[in-house]
Amino acid sequence: MHQGDHVTTISAAVRRASAVGLALTACFTALPGATATAAGRDGGAVTARAGLDRYYHQRLDWRSCVLGPDDATGHDLEKAGARCADVTVPLDYTRPRGRTLKVAISRIAATDDRHRVGSLLFNPGGPGGPGLGYSPLVRQVMKETGARYDVIGFDPRFVGRSAPLDCGWPVGSSVLSAGLSRASFERQVALQKGLADKCRATNASVLPYVTTRNTARDMDVIRGALGERKVSYLGWSYGTYLGTAFTQMFPGRYDRVVLDGALDPRRYNPRLMRGVERENEQALADWVAWAAKRHSVYGLGRTRGEVLATINRVVAASARHPLTVGTGADTFRLDDTQVPFVVFSGTADDTDEARAAACEQMSVLARAAAGRPTRLSPQFAAMLRGALTDEGSRNGSVQSAILCGDVSVPRDPERYWRDIERSRAAHSLFGPLTNNIGPCAFWDRPREKPTQVRHDTPALIVAATGDPRTPYTGSVALHSLLPNSRLLTLKGANRHAIYGQYGNACVDDAVNRYLATGKLPARDRTCLKQGH
């Protein structure tokens, strides 16, 4: 789904958000001036009465986005003509007169006033991906259509500039493998329990409210504060689940909806990667073939079998003794719970650039497994710092808090061990990772039931057939739940997140045509990966 603070480009943001990570009937009936009520048939009802009026009626103070001389995000927003504001929302929507939060938003105003559509909110994934800084890039990928929208970026509650959550974790990601042995799994149980305990010790008062449903409620408050009757929405990866939740909770409050790399809302839970081993192994197989053709560059093997053997040797070596990679301050030790994560992270993108980066990373690990000194690229060092050290604590903390706050998971470690052992025979590399225990096994149970789809939504769903993070089957499933939606398929790509990221003109043009006209394609469409 997303994970992590994202810099430079939306494409990088979506890749990082998704590499690690990875709608009940509810209707706010309040237009400005009315009572606001969200009611759910499944027990997740929230009744706010007149207490929400002040949130929907608030006046926003638009100001510079720059927080200081070193604020790169703020300066980029400033150059693009964006302005920023804080939207006040209740921590607990059942207690609107209680504690409040500030949700940071940015806006690039429409320049084609004559053909203005309205405001477009977006989410880059995660969970926990910040969106405030990506308004200029979203505006750019929309091309000339972007001039017709106020493009609204926002950092969801407890992310980025919106009261960021930090549990003080020693790592930046809880997504790790169980390793090759029962002993390594037991170490994972202890680590994951420790992560949950740290969040409970540092943030117990807010954890119950770090949820997708509350972010969806915040989005509707943003809509009201902007003075819009409806808003359009664009979501990648986890952002598709957030968009599904929003459209189900507020069925009269959205206009045009694009969901790229969609999740089946019935499958959404903290164990999202469980069941996607086949897609990841196909993506890995394609990368292995690419690497074998470039043995002279990366030295990983001349055939597919040799490259796979290299990966297996590296994992086995890391199980015997952690591999030491890097130099100086950027020195890391990776064991058999961490090496599979590195391989897994390299499969979410089939572009030559991404495959080359994955080859470079595996070459480093292979040299370390052979006892040779290694030097890390700045990108690999940054990835390892973000995932394996406390530098990424905020990212991992909020991602887990959202997932654990949304849906409960089994609590018995033996359940996970049985799943790991069952999957290991068929999926020796990825099975112990996708089935591993996580902090949610030790989390307090969610206060609301998961989102269910009860309202049809005429959304445009974008999906790649080889998506290794949110499999194509998820987009097909969501499409079946939303009969009036349309499915835009990119055939032949092992890529997560397509629109505006992959450079496929067929997909980009179709999405922008829909955003410009509001008219979905007459039928489902298929685009081909360029070069196929």
Side-chain angles (χ1 to χ4, degrees):
M1 317 96 326
H2 172 154
Q3 164 171 303
D5 286 324
H6 310 352
V7 293
T8 65
T9 68
I10 280 189
S11 180
V14 174
R15 279 201 301 271
R16 282 197 292 274
S18 309
V20 182
L22 218 326
L24 78 92
T25 290
C27 172
F28 268 60
T29 56
L31 287 170
T35 298
T37 302
R41 297 178 186 174
D42 59 4
V46 175
T47 303
R49 303 182 178 86
L52 285 179
D53 286 356
R54 67 185 179 108
Y55 298 105
Y56 280 88
H57 292 168
Q58 65 186 289
R59 301 186 66 175
L60 301 181
D61 177 21
W62 294 102
R63 59 188 184 279
S64 170
C65 298
V66 180
L67 299 183
D70 298 324
D71 179 15
T73 296
H75 285 295
D76 287 344
L77 286 165
E78 192 95 344
K79 290 176 185 176
R83 303 290 286 174
C84 288
D86 289 326
V87 178
T88 302
V89 299
L91 172 68
D92 178 357
Y93 275 82
T94 67
R95 296 185 175 183
R97 294 182 177 83
R99 181 175 171 183
T100 62
L101 301 169
K102 299 287 189 182
V103 173
I105 70 173
S106 62
R107 178 177 69 182
I108 299 179
T111 53
D112 186 355
D113 292 333
R114 184 177 178 182
H115 302 102
R116 182 181 181 275
V117 175
S119 292
L120 179 138
L121 277 66
F122 64 90
N123 181 274
L132 180 101
Y134 297 106
S135 300
L137 294 165
V138 171
R139 179 68 170 269
Q140 180 181 353
V141 302
M142 293 173 72
K143 300 179 181 176
E144 62 269 15
T145 302
R148 301 178 60 187
Y149 286 86
D150 288 354
V151 178
I152 309 294
F154 71 102
D155 288 347
R157 56 171 52 203
F158 301 108
V159 174
R161 296 187 185 184
S162 300
L165 180 80
D166 190 346
C167 298
W169 280 8
V171 295
S173 173
S174 63
V175 180
L176 295 164
S177 174
L180 299 186
S181 67
R182 177 73 192 214
S184 61
F185 171 70
E186 293 295 347
R187 289 193 294 272
Q188 278 295 299
V189 172
L191 170 66
Q192 303 291 353
K193 183 178 185 302
L195 298 179
D197 289 345
K198 280 183 176 292
C199 279
R200 192 176 294 108
T202 56
N203 289 280
S205 65
V206 301
L207 289 181
Y209 313 107
V210 191
T211 67
T212 297
R213 290 179 59 76
N214 278 324
T215 297
R217 294 179 178 115
D218 295 344
M219 288 169 57
D220 196 56
V221 170
I222 293 171
R223 175 200 60 75
L226 292 172
E228 301 280 18
R229 184 175 179 273
K230 297 181 179 182
V231 290
S232 294
Y233 179 79
L234 166 63
W236 289 273
S237 189
Y238 159 81
T240 67
Y241 180 71
L242 174 60
T244 299
F246 178 74
T247 60
Q248 295 304 304
M249 294 171 70
F250 307 100
R253 298 291 178 259
Y254 62 85
D255 185 6
R256 301 165 196 187
V257 177
V258 178
L259 306 176
D260 186 332
L263 288 159
D264 180 350
R266 297 165 300 187
R267 278 199 70 250
Y268 174 80
N269 69 84
R271 305 181 77 188
L272 272 174
M273 291 298 101
R274 187 166 179 254
V276 300
E277 295 85 5
R278 183 182 63 81
E279 289 84 359
N280 279 278
E281 286 170 354
Q282 181 59 57
L284 177 64
D286 290 349
W287 169 76
V288 163
W290 191 93
K293 294 177 181 178
R294 294 160 179 81
H295 174 71
S296 61
V297 179
Y298 303 108
L300 297 175
R302 293 179 175 83
T303 67
R304 296 185 183 192
E306 289 180 358
V307 177
L308 287 173
T310 297
I311 296 172
N312 290 333
R313 281 198 303 273
V314 169
V315 175
S318 70
R320 293 190 295 270
H321 300 288
L323 308 181
T324 300
V325 300
T327 57
D330 283 332
T331 300
F332 305 91
R333 289 168 59 80
L334 284 76
D335 64 18
D336 55 329
T337 68
Q338 298 158 331
V339 169
F341 164 80
V342 175
V343 181
F344 181 80
S345 297
T347 63
D349 188 340
D350 66 1
T351 61
D352 285 349
E353 177 188 8
R355 284 177 167 172
C359 284
E360 290 168 3
Q361 293 169 9
M362 184 51 60
S363 295
V364 167
L365 296 178
R367 287 196 297 273
R372 295 162 55 192
T374 62
R375 185 176 297 275
L376 305 179
S377 68
Q379 294 77 14
F380 194 18
M383 173 201 167
L384 294 177
R385 282 197 307 272
L388 305 181
T389 76
D390 60 3
E391 183 176 300
S393 174
R394 279 188 180 183
N395 306 333
S397 298
V398 72
Q399 182 175 72
S400 288
I402 294 168
L403 288 167
C404 302
D406 282 346
V407 185
S408 62
V409 294
R411 306 180 77 80
D412 182 5
E414 292 304 317
R415 167 77 174 273
Y416 295 87
W417 179 247
R418 289 193 297 270
D419 290 343
I420 290 163
E421 289 295 275
R422 276 195 295 265
S423 69
R424 197 187 297 274
H427 311 291
S428 60
L429 179 62
F430 291 139
L433 184 149
T434 58
N435 289 275
N436 194 24
I437 197 167
C440 298
F442 308 99
W443 216 266
D444 293 342
R445 294 191 184 279
R447 296 194 178 185
E448 292 191 73
K449 292 185 177 181
T451 297
Q452 298 178 24
V453 172
R454 301 186 191 273
H455 300 286
D456 196 1
T457 302
L460 181 60
I461 301 171
V462 182
T465 53
D467 188 334
R469 288 298 176 268
T470 54
Y472 183 68
T473 53
S475 292
V476 172
L478 181 60
H479 180 38
S480 70
L481 292 173
L482 305 174
N484 283 321
S485 66
R486 293 292 182 271
L487 181 60
L488 178 60
T489 298
L490 177 61
K491 189 174 182 179
N494 299 329
R495 169 59 193 251
H496 182 58
I498 302 299
Y499 168 62
Q501 318 304 314
Y502 199 57
N504 186 275
C506 176
V507 169
D508 291 352
D509 290 348
V511 173
N512 285 333
R513 189 178 306 115
Y514 164 61
L515 290 173
T517 65
K519 295 180 180 179
L520 288 167
R523 59 185 64 85
D524 295 343
R525 288 193 56 192
T526 297
C527 295
L528 298 179
K529 179 181 175 181
Q530 286 157 357
H532 283 223

